[in-house]
Amino acid sequence: MTVTATSVGESDPMPPQTTPSARGGRLVRLLPAAAAALSGLLLYVSFPPRTLWWLALPAFAVLGLVLRGRSWKAGLGLGYLFGLGFLLPLLVWTGVEVGPGPWIALVVIEAVFVALVGAGVAAVSKLPGWPVWAAALWVAGEAARARVPFSGFPWGKVAFGQADGAFLPLAALGGTPVLGFAVVLCGFGLYEVVRLAVRARRTGTLTRSVTVVAVLSAVVPLVAALASRTLVSDRAESGTVTVAVIQGNVPRLGLDFNSQRRAVLDHHARETERLAAEVAAGRAERPDVVLWPENSSDIDPFVNDDARDVIDRAAKAIDAPISVGGVVSRDGRLLNEQILWDPAKGPVDTYDKRQVQPFGEYLPLRSLVGAINENWTSMVRQDFSRGDEPGVFRMNGAGVGLVTCYEAAFDWAVRDTVTAGAQLISVPSNNATFGRSEMTYQQLAMSRVRAVEHSRAVTVPVTSGVSAVIMPDGRITQKTGMFVADSLVQEVPLRSSQTPATRLGVLPEVLLVLVAAGGLGWAVTSGVRARRGGDA
């Protein structure tokens, strides 16, 4: 055997060693991505049922730190991570009964809107007064998300996390767009103030104009919120009315509560009759208006005499008109309907839900969805049809506006109910499908924001909880537990005046979208000029 010596230069190469500095460099490069995702998680933590509304400010401050000065491509990726960090935990309830597939798909799509905002914020972050442009871009992203696809999904608007916050009165000034704009602007402004303070300490220089913009971005939203408190009042303008909110509860949690539709109806009739006995005994005030939740009678009382008798008996026992949530078939259409049931005349008016929920009440792309999973199509066998008029029931002289469940997330659906004559608002809902998740608390917070936005008392009758009575200033004065039978009786003010938010409607949102477009246009133009100058 011949042994051949191998020179040092010809020896087998050693595997490359990663130096500590190289590993540290990789970690540093990952920091912005981690910070983006964690700041999104921080924004989620600011939402109900927690009352940590102020955490939205550092969430956007960190997002500003991550995005400022970066390319639009980097902003796109970092914005997507922020969206995932926020929306994944916020919307986990959408998969409670149907599994993680729909939940993940929804978040993956909705986070794209946040990614586009991130790209825009990165682009405008080089402009003077960038927090203003950036906050307007956030509102523009929310406006787009509330409209597309499938008529939009506004869940997770920044405004809906501020029901307990100092900024809440701004809802009466300009609705959810102005409230959300103020929160995001204050967060970005907070970062800019800190950034300038650090730079001044390091360099000893400070640009006055830039400093003024930074300070104003952080301070003006709070001052405006304080000034807007004068718009918030729970004073009765058109008398008062005593409302009864009925929560009948459901036989069991989950999607299969529908299989016991008669039991759900009986539960609500029984709770109403129990309240009637309390009234007769002098232990409860007699209500002028009785409000049942969505899906309290999934048996059509127009074609089922037994269901009609149950409701009629309950109305006569309480001796007051009842708004009943029913599922009704009429002229070949399936309707999610509120029915005004008079104790003497029976059904006298109806309101058909206008903003029906995609994949819950109707199935877009039915053939494609069926090809992916046949079980999903079986859950929505027939699509619900949409109503086309706002619902305001005249109940013992009070104009009661109906905003059914999912509709509470949509600015237009609440506003045109008020402009149609609602003196108080009812948000009948059915959250039994989502178990004990945070969904009911998120929706309750929306109703509190709507109360301030339009200066109306809001009632929230829910099949399984949490039902509540909310004053026009956003305070919850009574609420139930979850998955218990209960009723709430309270005198609430009737109000007829309109807040600036009600009168202005979509205008504040349009103006903020135009501001966002102006900032993007300026950023693009500046970038083109800079590239031309570099080429020269």
Side-chain angles (χ1 to χ4, degrees):
M1 177 182 294
T2 304
V3 179
T4 305
T6 305
S7 67
V8 175
E10 297 171 340
S11 62
D12 293 336
M14 295 292 290
Q17 299 294 314
T18 303
T19 64
S21 60
R23 288 196 298 270
R26 288 200 193 100
L27 288 175
V28 169
R29 286 194 294 273
L30 287 174
L31 277 177
L38 289 174
S39 58
L41 181 63
L42 194 63
L43 180 59
Y44 156 71
V45 175
S46 75
F47 271 64
R50 295 157 295 277
T51 57
L52 303 174
W53 58 270
W54 52 271
L55 285 178
L57 303 183
F60 282 101
V62 174
L63 183 64
L65 167 67
V66 168
L67 293 178
R68 189 180 182 280
R70 295 191 179 274
S71 69
W72 70 266
K73 292 180 180 178
L76 190 73
L78 293 169
Y80 196 77
L81 290 173
F82 180 88
L84 291 178
F86 172 46
L87 295 172
L88 269 171
L90 185 81
L91 302 179
V92 68
W93 51 266
T94 60
V96 166
E97 291 296 330
V98 294
W103 163 48
I104 298 297
L106 176 63
V107 170
V108 165
I109 293 170
E110 293 297 311
V112 170
F113 292 92
V114 186
L116 293 172
V117 170
V121 170
V124 303
S125 67
K126 305 175 184 68
L127 300 177
W130 72 268
V132 177
W133 312 113
L137 276 165
W138 183 272
V139 174
E142 288 188 338
R145 197 159 62 87
R147 290 166 174 82
V148 292
F150 314 125
S151 299
F153 187 75
W155 216 279
K157 274 189 169 187
V158 167
F160 295 148
Q162 296 296 308
D164 291 292
F167 296 96
L168 180 60
L170 286 168
L173 180 64
T176 60
V178 168
L179 174 53
F181 173 77
V183 174
V184 179
L185 176 60
C186 195
F188 285 146
L190 181 65
Y191 159 68
E192 188 68 352
V193 168
V194 173
R195 185 184 73 84
L196 292 175
V198 171
R199 189 177 73 176
R201 184 170 182 175
R202 186 176 67 248
T203 65
T205 61
L206 199 61
T207 305
R208 179 178 297 177
S209 60
V210 174
T211 304
V212 168
V213 171
V215 172
L216 289 180
S217 296
V219 173
V220 167
L222 285 168
V223 173
L226 185 63
S228 296
R229 288 179 64 86
T230 59
L231 302 173
V232 178
S233 173
D234 60 2
R235 179 177 59 86
E237 296 175 328
S238 305
T240 62
V241 66
T242 300
V243 298
V245 174
I246 303 298
Q247 177 175 302
N249 202 12
V250 298
R252 55 177 177 262
L253 283 67
L255 289 172
D256 63 350
F257 84 93
N258 282 309
S259 65
Q260 295 198 15
R261 295 176 298 167
R262 176 54 194 267
V264 175
L265 172 57
D266 286 343
H267 280 24
H268 286 83
R270 186 181 306 124
E271 181 60 27
T272 304
E273 290 166 357
R274 187 199 65 79
L275 176 60
E278 292 287 300
V279 171
R283 292 189 293 267
E285 188 176 358
R286 181 174 296 280
D288 304 305
V289 169
V290 179
L291 302 167
W292 285 11
E294 178 187 34
N295 298 124
S296 47
S297 179
D298 279 356
I299 302 173
D300 186 345
F302 293 104
V303 298
N304 188 295
D305 291 338
D306 193 35
R308 184 185 184 100
D309 290 343
V310 169
I311 299 169
D312 207 46
R313 189 166 57 249
K316 284 180 168 58
I318 198 67
D319 193 24
I322 303 177
S323 178
V324 178
V327 173
V328 173
S329 295
R330 185 180 296 119
D331 302 326
R333 303 167 70 213
L334 188 63
L335 301 167
N336 186 333
E337 191 165 83
Q338 287 292 309
I339 308 163
L340 176 54
W341 206 284
D342 184 87
K345 302 175 183 177
V348 294
D349 200 359
T350 60
Y351 166 66
D352 299 325
K353 187 176 182 180
R354 294 171 294 160
Q355 188 67 42
V356 293
Q357 182 183 354
F359 303 100
E361 293 173 305
Y362 79 99
L363 200 59
L365 311 173
R366 182 175 287 273
S367 58
L368 176 61
V369 171
I372 297 172
N373 190 325
E374 289 183 1
N375 291 331
W376 293 348
T377 58
S378 65
M379 291 178 188
V380 188
R381 293 185 177 88
Q382 181 181 352
D383 293 341
F384 279 85
S385 297
R386 300 171 183 266
D388 53 15
E389 293 183 3
V392 180
F393 288 166
R394 299 303 302 182
M395 303 178 72
N396 269 335
V400 181
L402 286 309
V403 180
T404 306
C405 196
Y406 185 57
E407 293 181 323
F410 293 82
D411 294 348
W412 64 267
V414 186
R415 177 182 178 268
D416 67 4
T417 302
V418 175
T419 57
Q423 297 168 302
L424 70 92
I425 299 170
S426 180
V427 185
S429 303
N430 174 24
N431 299 336
T433 302
F434 305 108
R436 298 184 181 275
S437 71
E438 294 182 357
M439 183 269 188
T440 189
Y441 300 102
Q442 294 171 11
Q443 192 174 54
L444 185 59
M446 290 180 196
S447 296
R448 295 178 64 190
V449 172
R450 298 306 185 192
V452 174
E453 182 178 13
H454 300 290
S455 194
R456 296 291 188 272
V458 176
T459 60
V460 186
V462 185
T463 50
S464 56
V466 174
S467 299
V469 178
I470 304 166
M471 289 292 103
D473 60 4
R475 287 179 299 119
I476 296 176
T477 52
Q478 290 192 67
K479 65 179 180 179
T480 70
M482 293 183 72
F483 294 99
V484 294
D486 203 353
S487 55
L488 308 173
V489 181
Q490 185 172 327
E491 184 180 23
V492 298
L494 298 177
R495 292 181 58 82
S496 301
S497 63
Q498 294 185 358
T499 63
T502 308
R503 292 194 297 270
L504 292 171
V506 75
L507 183 60
E509 185 177 59
V510 170
L511 292 176
L512 288 170
V513 170
L514 290 175
V515 170
L520 272 180
W522 186 5
V524 170
T525 302
S526 299
V528 170
R529 287 175 179 170
R531 285 194 296 273
R532 286 176 178 172
D535 293 341

